[in-house]
Amino acid sequence: MKSIYAFEDADSKNRMLLGGKGAGLSEMTRLKLPVPPGFTITTEVCNKYYDNGKKLPKDVMPLVMKNIAKMEKKTNKKWNSIKNPLLVSVRSGAAISMPGMMDTILNLGLNEKTVEGFAEQTKNPRFSWDSYRRFIQLFGKVVFGVDDKKFDYVLDKYKKKQKVKDDSKLNVKSLKKIVSEYKKICEKHTGRKFPDSPNEQLELAIESVFESWMGERAVVYRRQNKVTRDIANGTAVNVVTMVFGNMGDDSATGVVFTRSGANGKKELEGDYLINAQGEDVVAGVRTGKNIEMLKKEMPQSYKELNNACTKLENHFKEVQDIEFTVEQGKFYLLQTRNAKMAAQGYVKTSVDMVKEKLIDKNRSLLRIPAEQLEALLHNTIDEKKAKQFKQLAKGIAASPGAANGIAIFDVKKAMELGESGKKVILIRKETKPEDVPAFYPSQGILTSLGGKTSHAAIVSRGMGKSCIVGCNELKIDEEHNRCKANGIIVKEMDEITIDGTTGTVFIGNVPTVKPKKTKDFETILGWAQKIKKLGIRANADTPNAAKLAREYGAEGIGLCRTERMFNEKDRIKLFVKMIMAKKPEERQEILEKLQKLQKSDFIGILKAMEGYKVTIRLLDPPLHEFLPSSKNKKVLARAKELEEVNPMMGHRGVRLGITSPEIYEMQIKAVFEATAELVKKKINAKPQIMIPQVSSIAELNHIKSIYNNVKSDMEKKYRIKFKINFGTMLEVVRACLTSDELAYTAEFFSFGTNDLTQGVFSFSREDVEGKFLGDYMDKGLVEISPFQSIDKNGVGDLMKIGIERGRSVQKNLEIGICGEHGGDPNSVKFCHAADISYVSASPYRIPTAILAAAQAVIEQKKTKKSKK
Ligand code: ADP
Ligand code: MG
Ligand code: MG
């Protein structure tokens, strides 16, 4: 494999090797579009650079110089020439685009001598010196790590001196002074002379582009966007002949999308600047003009741009994001890549491009990032208006959508005010199950602690409430009902806005916009539904959540958590009483009341999901989780009694059902009663009962006998033959290994992938996420949190064992998964491949899961074909 490819020689299909930018440049060159000559140093060289202790392999620079010689021929310019210097840009570019995350240097090859020659050759000293000062600034920043502000300060100083607002108005005298000051800044910073030799400049620039691959910005970006090494491994370096948009008023530079990235409309969308260089548009030093203006200002270039857009879109069959430059009326293309769009944009263009016969349905589904669909279901910040509001802090975007309301730090108060119709944002350091009643009447939740899977995050997501967690900069003083960040104090009742899509907290009431479930969205979901094989169910604990899930396309409920019901306002007290009850009779009395309440809950949910299976999980968490932090001595004493060293591995789930059988019995009865009532009304209710935390067939059989007793009582009482399936979760390692035994009793399985992941890793999730997982990720030991995406090699393999052994006993055993992973596209794809029957996700993740399930089918077909 060669280390370097000229644009015209490269195999532009090989994005892994060339990076997206390199591949795009070479493909455009092949299409005979006007691309300045250049070459790509491959990502393999980047990896060698790192393997080599951050040194370029010896053969690279000689090869670079050979390719520079080729460029000299094509351009009729000369490297390091005083009369006619060849200048280049040195640009980063990985297999997927990481906009703004890595570095690029422009105008390389200039020094005190070539700048003069360049001035003479172009008859434009102003332009030549402007290019030089840009070069020093970029080089200083990128290669030497000088703070940009230092350069900006000098630039501003001369703008003021010369009394101009616009940098394009600076004269040669000012520019020369700026250059000299810039150099001094660099020299002071590095303690060395600013490099004048173009060869040295080039070598340093190449190295620092490689360096930027592991820069903090890039690393964080890759982590947040789940860019693993199999998606992009190292950056390539592109060396491109400079063309100049800053050569005068007949020159310009700009960026354009072939269709709107925000809403997908078929019209060019973009900005450009007259007499400027590329970076200016992106950095926003000057406000760009709308691309439509180019039609008037430079009609010929506009036409060429428009043609190029059509050609590129037809060629790549994808919306393109294009960079162009006009040098004295001559039009050049500098980049093309698949456009990154908002969910709305993807959905509309997917439908449109099928209508236009540009792509087929499969391709139209594959191109939409499934995760993004969730954003279509939540209210969002009105971006245009948000700019006028002050930012308070930034945290982890845990549950998308925007919400505004008054800041409330107290759970009780949040409930009172929320229920009285006030819009409330609940702000806490963290939340606990006992706080859940306050979630319902609140608009959104903000916590200073916790990660994406903290309690606040999971509960909010399930409810579709916007939520920000881990907002560390926010110092919360719960005692005095206030918080502080950025020097701003927010008191109780102050208005704030949280944007759960980006994690930003604003001061004041930022307007939000309602989402519309557009026709296009429905079209896409319809296509996906037809193709997918996996069943999609919802995690839903209330009739409302069930209705919503059904609206979004859920085909049943995979997990209905009964404990959530006890957390509701009118129940929790009763439930605490039940836990406190010493005498069995007393407890029995309370249980009967609870049974009535549960029955009515079940009726609501089963009705909302009529015709579809509803999996009801019996009580799972340890009892002390329900005890409030109270000053009551008796409650305290009971809490102490129930305290456990490691509650998540303690007295919970089926273990609780065995030691306090009356609780499970009550719940099972409630399911039967609810079903009986619905059967009478001829409503097709399909409940199934699921036991959590099971590790052995003995446990499962023990509970099955309780179930059997209730069943025979109920059949006598109602004279109905009930068909209520009895099944188990597989969330304990031993359950997976002995699933063949469990399959003799269980009528269905459901993997609880959260607990299973904890078990397989011996990770206690809260501790791991709060303490060291971040460090592991920084050090590259973990690429994606196993709590976000199923760990295929470990947890996934164990699941496969569980499936195989279970189905060796019951061939058609229904096996689903519930838990956070059900809404994660990668995990959905894994489940499809593993022959899982269905995944269960929170209502707002249903469209995501449907799309991911369809993508799994299409991708599988594609790989099968390519293997043939
Ligand atoms: P990014 O990946 O951050 O967009 P680029 O490598 O595309 O970085 O370059 C940054 C800017 O410089 C872009 O606006 C690009 O168009 C411009 N640019 C890059 N190379 C050249 C060149 N050879 N001539 C003129 N402008 C260039
Ligand atoms: Mg670019
Ligand atoms: Mg569990």
Side-chain angles (χ1 to χ4, degrees), residues 2 25 57 86 103 187 227 275 281 377 423 433 494 501 508 553 583 628 632 726 731 831:
K2 290 204 294 184
L25 287 164
L86 168 66
D103 295 322
E187 284 166 4
V227 180
N275 199 7
V281 181
L377 310 178
K423 285 181 153 192
D494 285 353
T501 313
K583 291 193 203 115
N632 181 319
F726 179 85
E731 58 181 340
C831 288

Side-chain angles (χ1 to χ4, degrees), residues 617 620 652 693 729 731 752 754-755:
R617 181 180 71 186
D620 183 32
R652 58 177 293 208
Q693 295 294 327
M729 291 193 73
E731 58 181 340
N754 295 349
D755 276 313

Side-chain angles (χ1 to χ4, degrees), residues 21 36 87-93 98-106 240-245 253-255 277-282 323-325 334-335 337:
K21 198 176 286 164
L87 304 184
V88 297
S89 63
V90 179
R91 318 168 66 184
S92 55
M98 302 167 41
M101 294 302 126
M102 291 186 295
D103 295 322
T104 284
I105 295 170
L106 304 180
V240 189
T241 308
M242 280 305 301
V243 291
F244 299 95
T253 185
V255 180
Q277 259 191 336
E279 293 293 342
D280 299 348
V281 181
V282 186
E323 288 173 6
F324 68 93
T325 285
L334 288 169
Q335 187 174 328
R337 62 182 170 208

Side-chain angles (χ1 to χ4, degrees), residues 607-791:
K607 238 186 189 164
M609 272 291 162
E610 185 179 2
Y612 286 127
K613 283 184 184 169
V614 173
T615 310
I616 295 167
R617 181 180 71 186
L618 303 191
L619 189 68
D620 183 32
L623 290 182
H624 61 80
E625 268 200 13
F626 294 92
L627 292 180
S629 27
S630 154
K631 290 208 174 102
N632 181 319
K633 264 196 194 145
K634 275 191 195 154
V635 176
L636 268 178
R638 183 74 175 129
K640 189 111 198 140
E641 236 171 74
L642 291 170
E643 203 178 68
E644 290 173 281
V645 175
N646 193 344
M648 291 332 273
M649 299 175 92
H651 196 179
R652 58 177 293 208
V654 68
R655 304 157 204 164
L656 205 59
I658 288 169
T659 54
S660 309
E662 63 279 8
I663 299 179
Y664 271 21
E665 193 185 318
M666 173 277 280
Q667 293 196 298
I668 296 172
K669 270 188 192 157
V671 175
F672 275 91
E673 295 266 357
T675 313
E677 191 144 311
L678 291 170
V679 168
K680 268 192 274 172
K681 290 185 184 149
K682 300 225 155 41
I683 289 172
N684 184 10
K686 293 176 140 178
Q688 34 187 26
I689 289 172
M690 178 162 79
I691 313 301
Q693 295 294 327
V694 169
S695 64
S696 74
I697 183 66
E699 285 171 326
L700 193 65
N701 283 341
H702 189 88
I703 304 296
K704 183 68 193 291
S705 65
I706 299 178
Y707 166 96
N708 285 340
N709 288 341
V710 172
K711 187 177 178 193
S712 85
D713 284 353
M714 290 290 163
E715 292 194 334
K716 268 182 222 142
K717 182 170 170 192
Y718 289 102
R719 296 169 191 285
I720 305 177
K721 277 256 161 273
F722 286 98
K723 178 73 195 118
I724 297 177
N725 287 344
F726 179 85
T728 179
M729 291 193 73
L730 296 188
E731 58 181 340
V732 172
V733 175
R734 193 177 186 283
C736 295
L737 295 175
T738 59
S739 66
D740 45 353
E741 294 170 14
L742 295 173
Y744 281 102
T745 297
E747 288 164 296
F748 65 89
F749 288 167
S750 176
F751 284 104
T753 48
N754 295 349
D755 276 313
L756 200 56
T757 303
Q758 298 202 81
V760 170
F761 279 86
S762 279
F763 275 179
S764 147
R765 188 163 99 191
E766 267 80 14
D767 295 328
V768 168
E769 287 188 330
K771 299 233 164 81
F772 64 83
L773 194 60
D775 236 25
Y776 266 45
M777 291 173 111
D778 286 342
K779 299 199 163 107
L781 306 182
V782 169
E783 286 198 296
I784 298 176
S785 162
F787 295 108
Q788 231 178 63
S789 214
I790 289 178
D791 154 55

Side-chain angles (χ1 to χ4, degrees), residues 260-444:
S260 161
N263 58 34
K265 261 198 195 155
K266 196 174 178 182
E267 59 193 18
L268 296 192
E269 183 180 83
D271 303 294
Y272 71 101
L273 282 170
I274 299 274
N275 199 7
Q277 259 191 336
E279 293 293 342
D280 299 348
V281 181
V282 186
V285 245
R286 277 189 267 152
T287 316
K289 296 180 183 176
N290 189 309
I291 201 72
E292 281 308 296
M293 299 274 291
L294 192 71
K295 213 188 236 170
K296 284 185 206 114
E297 286 199 314
M298 298 181 168
Q300 182 55 33
S301 296
Y302 182 85
K303 210 170 127 194
E304 283 184 73
L305 173 66
N306 208 2
N307 289 344
C309 285
T310 312
K311 193 167 180 177
L312 286 171
E313 225 189 46
N314 285 336
H315 179 75
F316 288 106
K317 305 200 184 309
E318 185 51 80
V319 180
Q320 295 295 298
D321 165 358
I322 293 166
E323 288 173 6
F324 68 93
T325 285
V326 179
E327 178 185 305
Q328 298 191 314
K330 184 155 175 21
F331 176 80
Y332 291 99
L333 287 161
L334 288 169
Q335 187 174 328
T336 191
R337 62 182 170 208
N338 293 350
K340 288 204 162 126
M341 292 184 270
Q344 283 88 339
Y346 277 116
V347 166
K348 176 163 169 52
T349 51
S350 261
V351 176
D352 285 353
M353 289 196 292
V354 171
K355 278 189 207 152
E356 293 162 26
K357 299 207 163 64
L358 192 59
I359 55 177
D360 61 13
K361 281 183 193 167
N362 284 355
R363 188 162 176 157
S364 89
L365 293 176
L366 276 183
R367 69 186 280 279
I368 304 174
E371 260 152 342
Q372 261 178 270
L373 288 188
E374 194 181 347
L376 292 175
L377 310 178
H378 297 283
N379 261 18
T380 52
I381 288 279
D382 190 336
E383 293 292 346
K384 278 188 203 128
K385 298 194 177 134
K387 291 192 184 109
Q388 300 154 18
F389 290 81
K390 227 187 223 154
Q391 277 195 23
L392 176 68
K394 227 171 153 115
I396 300 171
S399 178
N404 30 41
I406 47 174
I408 297 295
F409 301 84
D410 182 73
V411 171
K412 258 203 192 139
K413 196 146 196 188
M415 280 174 64
E416 276 166 30
L417 290 171
E419 277 157 14
S420 76
K422 284 249 160 36
K423 285 181 153 192
V424 167
I425 306 285
L426 177 64
I427 307 179
R428 304 284 296 166
K429 283 186 185 154
E430 62 198 330
T431 64
K432 298 198 185 121
E434 68 199 65
D435 303 336
V436 171
F439 279 46
Y440 292 99
S442 296
Q443 305 297 313

Side-chain angles (χ1 to χ4, degrees), residues 103 105 138-146 190 201 204-206 208:
D103 295 322
I105 295 170
L138 267 176
F139 197 88
K141 180 174 133 190
V142 171
V143 177
F144 297 140
V146 179
T190 56
Q201 291 174 355
L204 286 171
I206 291 168
S208 69

